[in-house]
Amino acid sequence: VQLVESGGGSVQAGGTLRLSCASSGWPFRHVCSAWFRQAPGREREKVAQLSRDDTTDYAESVKGRFTISKDSTDTTLFLQMNNLKLEDTATYYCATDFCSQFSRGVPRYWGQGTQVTVSS
C-alpha cells in the first residue's frame, strides 16, 4: 500500500487549498480513510474521516470549512480546505485501514505528509 499526498503549500488566511492522496494497492472502498494533521509541538489530530458507508466526520475546529471526499475510482482521497486560518498550519497526512482498525485509533497505512502553511 502506498499513499502519496500532494496539494500542500503556502496560502494567506482566508484562502483555499485542496489536498490529494493517491493510493496504490488499496482502493478507498469499504474502508475508513481520514486526514490527520500535526503542528510542531502539538499532538496529531484527526481532522476529517470518511467511513465505509461514505459518511463523514470532522473535528470541530474545521467543521464548515473542510470537506473530505474521494474520486469515482476510489483511488484518490481529497481534503478541500476553505477559509484557512493561521491555526490550520501543520503537516497533513492521509491514512486508511479497515474500519475495525480505525476504531482502535491507529490506522496502519499512512502517507508521507504534505505541509500547509497559512500566513496573515
Side-chain angles (χ1 to χ4, degrees), residues 44-115:
R44 185 175 59 199
E45 171 190 25
K46 183 169 64 176
V47 296
Q49 178 171 321
L50 179 66
S51 296
R52 58 180 297 168
D53 59 357
D54 290 339
T55 57
T56 57
D57 189 43
Y58 298 93
E60 284 297 323
S61 58
V62 306
K63 275 185 180 178
R65 301 188 297 120
F66 290 11
T67 303
I68 188 171
S69 64
K70 60 181 178 177
D71 71 344
S72 60
T73 65
D74 294 325
T75 60
T76 305
L77 188 72
F78 301 105
L79 185 68
Q80 178 69 39
M81 304 187 295
N82 299 331
N83 190 21
L84 282 160
K85 302 179 179 181
L86 298 180
E87 54 264 38
D88 294 321
T89 295
T91 301
Y92 285 72
Y93 302 88
C94 64
T96 187
D97 207 331
F98 294 117
C99 295
S100 57
Q101 187 68 25
F102 253 82
S103 67
R104 299 187 185 104
V106 185
R108 291 175 293 172
Y109 308 117
W110 293 80
Q112 83 288 351
T114 186
Q115 178 67 35

